[in-house]
Each structure stands twice: as structure tokens, then as C-alpha cells.
Amino acid sequence: MTIDPWADVRNPAYGAVGNGSTDDTAAIQAAINAIQSAGAGAVFVPNGNYYVPGGLRITGNGVRFINAGGFFQTGNTDVPIFSISAAYCTLENVAALGAGIQPGGVSPTQPVVSLTNCLSCLLDNCNISGGAIGVDISGGADNHLRDLTSVSIYGPHVRTRNTNAFLSRCKLDQSFLAPVPLGTVLSDLTRDTFYPKYSVVSYAGYVLQCQTAGRTLAGTGPTLQNYNVPIPDNTAVWQLINPYGACALAIDVGTSALTCSGCDFSGLYEFCVIIRNSVPGPAPTALAFTDCDFGNAWQGGIYAYDGAGLNVKGSLFSNFYAPWGMGVYLTNNWQGDTTIADNLMFGCAYGVQISAGTNTVVKGNQIAGCSQTAVGVANASQFVISDNCLGSSATWGRNAHAVLINGTCDHYNVVHNIIAGASSGVTDSGGGTHTQVNWNN
């Protein structure tokens, strides 16, 4: 029987300590290098707190990084904890805290985990926090994030810029941790210290960001305020930002054939999912979400700006707090080829808003309690709105408009919908041709 090569980072040959203060970067990297030199194998990490301010790099194929109770952190060194550029590698049970969350933290620019041009790599049952991005996937193909938990991320929890990525049962959830204990004096913040704008510090599980650069009080700390309320501290001004992040998932330039199944994207500050190019290049395409949870965000569930090809099925959209909060928003830059089917939406201003594109199907959804419109369309063509239940909610009330069509629209059908309790049923001001509206609505 052949046994794959195995390297224990606490083996004296490598010498990792795991006490939270000794720099274990070189020791763990030596264990990784040994497995890479062997061609493939496993790196084993026993229980411990591993301080790795230099970051760890996996560049050889077939490395299986098995964590058995270890915790990885960089202090406030702004580097990826794991940088992987290889094929068929695995991170298992890894718990990693990136820069920007510890007291006196920096404003991070780097992800916690970076996958660059990787092929068929797997992150399995990992717990990620801190960093500018939780997991950044750039280039490569066929990578999989499974049972990933991510909280308290400065920017997107996951950013994709590759092909054939899979996210399954991931919990990219910035839900509220606890009620804010208003009136608490933030005595643990460093006193009489200058903080630059956007510095991030933590206090009792909450994350504060410096909104105005300045020097903190020399004596007593400031008093904690609620989310989005300024906290003056001498010339510095703080704001409570935990549990907010930019978004759960940023689908960026070059992403294609992305599949998300059974994921929790709830509780983020902006939209739960943002589909938009950050730089010029191929727009995202062929994106699928099944049985996912989008909720408790400020602006909405899915914001589709650049690209085409979106399939959203069997998912929950709920409780968006902005007066314009939307379940799914297809902006005036979106190209189309979209199916939104068999979803449940409530507590939104707009359930589905289609502002452009062709070949859009909204079918079999239950959409209730929208303060503005359950399904709105403007300046789109070749769309179908059918077999939806556009009713009222005991909690959120009735839809103001069940279906509202305006702008320049063409070639569309609005048929077989159940409309109950809406202030206005179907309003068609699209002015298009080849339309069929109000057949058995």
C-alpha cells in the first residue's frame, strides 16, 4: 500500500509553535515546500494559534492542507494568509483571521485567501474573517467553495473572476451579532492616538471604522452609538460598521458558468450579490443561483449591472430596508437572457425590476408586500411575466403595483398571474407591439 507524503507542521523538522505570538510563517511554509517537492501529499496542522505575518504560498499541485483545530492570523499585516496558484489543492477546516479586525487594525487591501489561476481547487469547511476580501478567485477554472463561513469582511466576502466556479452551502452572512449596547464607553480604544481615515478597529465583537481622520481623546473613550451614527472621539470620528460588508458575492470581470447552491447571502450592507465589472473586460455570463437566501440587506438581493445569462430559482428574498430595496435588479446595462422562477419575495420596495435587456422570464414566483412594485419593467423587450402569485402579506401589506410596465418595451406577455390585494393590478404603459397583457391575470 502506498502512503501519500505527510508533513506535520509541529514536527521538529519544521518547528511551528502555534502560540499566537511566534512567527510560524517559515516553519509552515517549510512543511508546504516539503510536500510540494514530493509531488503531492498532505500538510497537517494540529491545534494552535498560528501567527503567519509573511503569508503562506502553495504553488505545487496536489497539496492537501488539513487543519485540525489550528487558527491562522497575520496580526495586522496586510497580506493574504493563503496564496494558492496550483491545481488540485485543498484547504480543509481552516479558520483564518485576516488584517483589519484586530484592535488597532489597518484598513486592509488584501484578501484572506487568494486563488490565482487555480484548477480544480477546493476550500472545504473553512471559516474566514477580516481582510479586504474573504476569498478572491482570479483566473483558472473548476474551483469549489463548500461549506465556507465568512463574517466581518471589509469588502466582498467572495469575489470571482474565473470560469466554472461552484459555491455550495456557503454562509456568507453578515447578520447582526447582538443588539448594540448603547451608552457603553469604548474604553479599550487606544487613547491619544492618531488614526487615518478608514482605519478599522474592534471592540467587544463590533467593528468600528474611522470616518474622519484625527487624534482620539487622551482620557475617557467615546460612547458607543448605533449603526451609521457618528461617534465623535476628539478630532477623530468613528462609525460602527460591523456587521456590514460591501456584499456577500462580487461577480466580476471574466466570470462565467458560476453556480451557487444552498448559500446564505443574507445580512449585507449593500446588495447581497453584485454582478459588475470593476475593470474593462469580458462581462459575467451564465450565472445560476438555486435554493439561496438573500435577505436583511440594505439595498437588495441581486444587482445585475454588467453581463448576461442569469438563472435564479427556488430562493428567498426578504427584508430589504432601503426605501428602494429590490429583490432582483436588472439595470439598464444588463443584456438579458434571465430567468427568475419559483422564488419567494417579500418585504421589498420592488420585487423584480427589469430596466433593460431581452429574453427575460419571471415565472412561478410568490411576491408580496412590495411598497412600490412586485414586478416592474422599463425599456426591455421580449419578456414574459407569467404564473406568478402577486399577493399581499400579513406582515408587509399589499403590493402597491402588481405589474408596472413603462418606457419603451416591446414583444412581451403578461399572462396567467394571480393578483390579489394589490393597490394596482397590471399597468401597461410600455407602448410596444406584439404584446399580450391581462389574459387571465
Side-chain angles (χ1 to χ4, degrees):
M1 181 177 66
T2 301
I3 300 176
D4 289 337
W6 178 276
D8 186 332
V9 301
R10 300 285 280 271
N11 186 305
Y14 310 114
V17 178
N19 62 6
S21 58
T22 300
D23 186 347
D24 284 324
T25 305
I28 299 175
Q29 188 64 55
I32 294 171
N33 293 346
I35 295 303
Q36 293 178 153
S37 297
V43 177
F44 178 74
V45 183
N47 184 56
N49 184 345
Y50 297 92
Y51 175 51
V52 287
L56 304 172
R57 293 167 179 81
I58 299 175
T59 57
N61 297 340
V63 174
R64 185 181 176 192
F65 197 93
I66 304 173
N67 185 44
F71 175 78
F72 299 85
Q73 48 99 5
T74 64
N76 277 317
T77 306
D78 187 17
V79 297
I81 293 180
F82 293 94
S83 298
I84 305 174
S85 301
Y88 312 111
C89 293
T90 303
L91 294 184
E92 298 181 22
N93 307 316
V94 166
L97 175 64
I101 300 301
Q102 298 92 332
V106 299
S107 299
T109 63
Q110 298 297 314
V112 180
V113 178
S114 173
L115 303 180
T116 304
N117 297 324
C118 291
L119 175 65
S120 299
C121 289
L122 169 66
L123 269 65
D124 191 12
N125 195 36
C126 294
N127 191 316
I128 305 295
S129 57
I133 300 171
V135 180
D136 189 19
I137 309 174
S138 178
D142 302 322
N143 298 295
H144 190 176
L145 309 184
R146 182 171 63 200
D147 295 314
L148 172 73
T149 300
S150 175
V151 297
S152 298
I153 302 297
Y154 192 81
H157 289 232
V158 174
R159 180 172 67 176
T160 63
R161 296 176 290 175
N162 73 330
T163 61
N164 294 327
F166 300 88
L167 276 70
S168 58
R169 302 191 304 269
C170 294
K171 186 175 178 60
L172 313 182
D173 183 354
Q174 289 283 64
S175 296
F176 294 95
L177 302 180
V180 179
L182 300 180
T184 301
V185 175
L186 302 177
S187 56
D188 286 358
L189 293 181
T190 304
R191 314 312 310 142
D192 194 22
T193 300
F194 180 83
Y195 284 90
K197 188 176 182 179
Y198 302 130
S199 296
V200 176
V201 301
S202 68
Y203 177 79
Y206 295 95
V207 176
L208 296 100
Q209 185 182 61
C210 186
Q211 301 295 311
T212 301
R215 183 169 293 277
T216 57
L217 290 166
T220 305
T223 301
L224 184 63
Q225 302 295 326
N226 214 327
Y227 299 101
N228 297 324
V229 176
I231 305 173
D233 188 3
N234 197 19
T235 58
V237 178
W238 300 95
Q239 188 175 85
L240 187 65
I241 63 169
N242 197 7
Y244 298 135
C247 62
L249 175 61
I251 302 173
D252 209 332
V253 59
T255 299
S256 65
L258 170 67
T259 301
C260 300
S261 176
C263 295
D264 182 353
F265 299 117
S266 63
L268 279 299
Y269 180 61
E270 298 181 35
F271 281 87
C272 298
V273 173
I274 296 177
I275 307 169
R276 183 170 187 171
N277 280 4
S278 61
V279 296
T285 186
L287 315 171
F289 296 86
T290 305
D291 297 324
C292 295
D293 186 356
F294 306 83
N296 298 317
W298 175 245
Q299 297 193 56
I302 297 177
Y303 175 84
Y305 186 85
D306 289 309
L310 173 64
N311 190 325
V312 184
K313 186 174 182 180
S315 295
L316 172 65
F317 296 80
S318 62
N319 304 349
F320 303 119
Y321 299 111
W324 56 87
M326 302 179 185
V328 178
Y329 180 26
L330 308 180
T331 71
N332 56 13
N333 205 50
W334 185 252
Q335 299 301 303
D337 295 326
T338 302
T339 299
I340 303 169
D342 304 320
N343 303 287
L344 175 61
M345 301 184 182
F346 59 87
C348 315
Y350 301 85
V352 178
Q353 179 62 38
I354 306 166
S355 296
T358 60
N359 301 323
T360 299
V361 176
V362 180
K363 183 176 182 180
N365 303 283
Q366 297 186 52
I367 307 176
C370 295
S371 61
Q372 299 295 324
T373 305
V375 181
V377 186
N379 304 317
S381 63
Q382 300 178 39
F383 60 86
V384 175
I385 303 171
S386 71
D387 301 288
N388 300 286
C389 180
L390 309 177
S392 61
S393 161
T395 301
W396 296 98
R398 62 178 62 189
N399 295 316
H401 293 277
V403 179
L404 177 61
I405 303 171
N406 54 37
T408 303
C409 296
D410 211 353
H411 293 77
Y412 53 91
N413 290 330
V414 183
V415 297
H416 298 303
N417 299 287
I418 298 174
I419 298 173
S423 300
S424 176
V426 178
T427 301
D428 180 16
S429 303
T433 59
H434 300 91
T435 66
Q436 184 176 37
V437 178
N438 290 333
W439 184 38
N440 290 338
N441 288 313

